[in-house]
Amino acid sequence: MPANRPTPNEVYTMPTYKAPLRDMRFLMNEVFDYPKHYSTLSNGADATPDMVEAILGEAAKLCEEVLAPLNQSGDLEGCHFDNGKVTTPKGFKDAYDQYVAGGWQGLSHPVEYGGQGLPMTLGLFKSEMMGTANWSFTMYPGLSLGAMNTIMQHATPEQNAIYMPPLTEGRWTGTMCLTEPQCGTDLGQVKTKAEPNADGSYRITGTKIFISAGDHDLAENIIHIVLARLPDAPAGTRGISLFIVPKFKALADGTIGAFNNVNCGSIEHKMGIRASATCVINFDEAEGYLIAEPNKGLEAMFTFMNTARIGTAIQGVCHAELAYQGALAYAKERRSMRSVSGKKEPEKVADALIYHGDVRRMLLTQKAIAEGGRAMVYFAGQYADHMTNAVIEEDEKKYHHWDDKLGFLTPILKGFLTELGLEAANLGMQVFGGHGYIKEHGMEQIVRDARISTLYEGTTGIQALDLLGRKTLIMTRGKAVRDFTGIILSFCKDHALNSKMRPFVWQLSKLAAQWNMLTVRTMLTARKDREIVAAAAYDFMMYSGYATMAYFWAVQAAVAFEKLEKGGAETPEFYTAKIQTAEFYFDRLLPRAKGHVAGIVASPKSLMQMSNDDFAMM
């Protein structure tokens, strides 16, 4: 091999995950002041800076050393299904045992159930690192968290006493069982039946599909949260109730009893997240227990759904981060051609990819998405902390206040960040060129794993309708947009006289005004033509996402400028990179919002005028 040429081992390496602790600390301590935030929470006293730092460090170690090495092998092996039994890939059971032994499942759950009682966002930070290291693995304990939150909020004290301790320990896991063969998002079509027994329990009969972590060999029991209909239930979504249905009956002492006729019929053969078992679950007169009020199950399930949607938003950040780390390392190692502005590495056979303008465009796009998305999620996490704290304090008014604020951001986080996370994953593969298409290099797996994120927990279109139709027009008559743009305008006012921030502030001010104008315009148009809501929803959501991310990049830039001026705790290169990434976002990514404006204001005529028959190509 000629001198100076990189060997295959130097170039064709799997992306190695390194927890982005510096950026996480920047957001937590310098941007959003989490130490002060935790001091305002009734469950935040133990979340001292030293405690938080120790948790982040240990979580990073688990993710880098235990979970990340299983990411590719788990994908290659996948889950196994044999005669109703599901087995996870090699190494997953041992990794899960280490996860349980570390007390990670109960990090943010009550001490009375065996948890550590820390704020919800500490679990969020942990989940981000876990999800980036190995999303398939993370889905197993991740689904449990939603089940736990639903049980805590809606089950009886007796049910909590039975189910929460083993779930908090991680000895049992949980799922959400919504989708059926004939219905996905339209849950009004649910057919699963719940027949009452004399002892107050119910016989649950029906089939649920696409159940993530529906069956596996990691835990001794699986607790399913199931939507089903009572015999006298009204039609549609008003007639759905919510039930706890364990795979094995749960005994009062926390042990398991007889098999409960919950059978795994098959597992799906999927494009991605192949190490996560996605199951068909058959309930054959399984014993179930009502939680929440009869026929109010869908409302209670939204506790689970909101948790899951935030978790899926994190997936957009995770895949952007992992794809960026892999692409950056490759772009620095791989050499091809010379820079258009002249040789950058004359002693080498060619210049590294990172010197080429289009590669830099892709890398900076990934970086802007990952770090901008992380800021969006961490900000929303504080809303979730307040909401969870209100539950602890049994303050219903405060709970609804924070739930409304989080509810507006949730579809933006889930819809926008998963779309951009998929884009970042594709860019990572593109940086590798042809090698990105080859399985052993790891980049195509990130694309395959990321693809599901725009589909489950409500597709991008469903999130868009939720944002524009429900959260913006119906529920708040535009107030949700006015409230959030008020935060943006307050920031602009505070930094209006800062010459370094003026380019950001000027664009943000125009965005805030335009966002409100678009909301009012759509509201007025919808009075005459309801189709405008469906026609404009996607563009409205994407516009909202770009505007929201712009705000958080400006916030990060403001902090970075201040640190450079006053002297930060770290070397100045970190803050300089923050400012430069913010400038790239405003120059290169934010202009996309203009295209979405055109989609928002366009008449729905061209979308709706074609007859159904004319869609066919003959």
Side-chain angles (χ1 to χ4, degrees), residues 3-18:
N4 298 324
R5 233 181 240 278
T7 66
N9 287 335
E10 289 176 321
V11 175
Y12 312 140
T13 55
M14 273 289 295
T16 302
Y17 174 65
K18 185 70 176 176

Side-chain angles (χ1 to χ4, degrees), residues 423-438:
E423 177 186 349
N426 273 300
L427 289 175
M429 186 171 156
Q430 189 77 5
V431 169
F432 271 66
H435 296 296
Y437 200 66
I438 305 302

Side-chain angles (χ1 to χ4, degrees), residues 127-177:
S127 295
E128 183 207 330
M129 287 187 274
M130 289 179 60
T132 313
N134 191 325
W135 186 262
S136 287
F137 177 91
T138 304
M139 291 189 71
Y140 293 100
L143 268 294
S144 297
L145 294 174
M148 293 160 69
N149 292 341
T150 303
I151 290 170
M152 277 198 304
Q153 189 162 343
H154 299 290
T156 65
E158 294 77 15
Q159 290 170 333
N160 270 281
I162 293 172
Y163 294 100
M164 282 304 298
L167 283 168
T168 302
E169 181 184 347
R171 187 160 43 91
W172 297 357
T173 62
T175 76
M176 52 189 284
C177 294

Side-chain angles (χ1 to χ4, degrees), residues 280-302:
V280 174
I281 300 294
N282 298 312
F283 298 94
D284 303 311
E285 294 195 342
E287 189 168 281
Y289 316 99
L290 181 71
I291 58 175
E293 297 180 36
N295 303 324
K296 299 287 187 181
L298 199 57
E299 296 175 22
M301 180 60 86
F302 269 103

Side-chain angles (χ1 to χ4, degrees), residues 161-163 166 172 221 248-258:
I162 293 172
Y163 294 100
W172 297 357
N221 201 5
F248 293 95
K249 293 182 180 181
L251 303 180
D253 63 357
T255 60
I256 59 174

Side-chain angles (χ1 to χ4, degrees), residues 211-326:
I211 308 306
S212 298
D215 199 77
H216 52 78
D217 59 348
L218 302 182
E220 67 181 30
N221 201 5
I222 302 173
I223 310 304
H224 301 284
I225 307 297
V226 183
L227 288 179
R229 292 188 181 279
L230 297 169
D232 58 350
T237 56
R238 294 180 300 167
I240 301 176
S241 298
L242 194 62
F243 299 85
I244 298 174
V245 187
K247 179 180 179 180
F248 293 95
K249 293 182 180 181
L251 303 180
D253 63 357
T255 60
I256 59 174
F259 179 65
N260 194 28
N261 295 324
V262 177
N263 296 285
C264 181
S266 64
I267 59 174
E268 303 295 347
H269 302 282
K270 300 171 298 187
M271 174 181 177
I273 54 169
R274 297 183 65 250
S276 171
T278 303
C279 305
V280 174
I281 300 294
N282 298 312
F283 298 94
D284 303 311
E285 294 195 342
E287 189 168 281
Y289 316 99
L290 181 71
I291 58 175
E293 297 180 36
N295 303 324
K296 299 287 187 181
L298 199 57
E299 296 175 22
M301 180 60 86
F302 269 103
T303 303
F304 203 138
M305 290 297 291
N306 284 331
T307 303
R309 284 171 179 167
I310 295 174
T312 309
I314 295 172
Q315 185 174 359
V317 176
C318 291
H319 290 310
E321 177 66 38
L322 187 60
Y324 173 61
Q325 290 192 17

Side-chain angles (χ1 to χ4, degrees), residues 13-138:
T13 55
M14 273 289 295
T16 302
Y17 174 65
K18 185 70 176 176
L21 292 175
R22 178 64 187 99
D23 195 56
M24 295 171 71
R25 294 185 186 112
F26 171 69
L27 294 174
M28 294 167 61
N29 300 325
E30 301 174 66
V31 176
F32 298 126
D33 197 356
Y34 263 86
K36 181 179 179 181
H37 165 71
Y38 286 147
S39 72
T40 68
L41 304 177
S42 58
N43 64 340
D46 291 334
T48 63
D50 287 345
M51 173 65 78
V52 171
E53 185 62 28
I55 290 170
L56 292 179
E58 287 302 310
K61 184 177 179 181
L62 173 73
C63 294
E64 293 170 0
E65 299 178 5
V66 179
L67 302 186
L70 297 175
N71 192 36
Q72 187 183 34
S73 63
D75 175 73
L76 292 172
E77 181 182 350
C79 291
H80 305 276
F81 179 78
D82 182 27
N83 195 28
K85 180 181 178 181
V86 177
T87 305
T88 53
K90 182 180 179 181
F92 270 50
K93 180 67 170 69
D94 180 62
Y96 186 76
D97 290 343
Q98 292 184 57
Y99 174 82
V100 171
W104 292 108
Q105 188 67 0
L107 185 67
S108 299
H109 284 80
V111 174
E112 62 187 286
Y113 301 130
Q116 298 175 47
L118 293 166
M120 190 283 296
T121 42
L122 282 172
L124 185 76
F125 306 144
K126 171 206 72 179
S127 295
E128 183 207 330
M129 287 187 274
M130 289 179 60
T132 313
N134 191 325
W135 186 262
S136 287
F137 177 91
T138 304

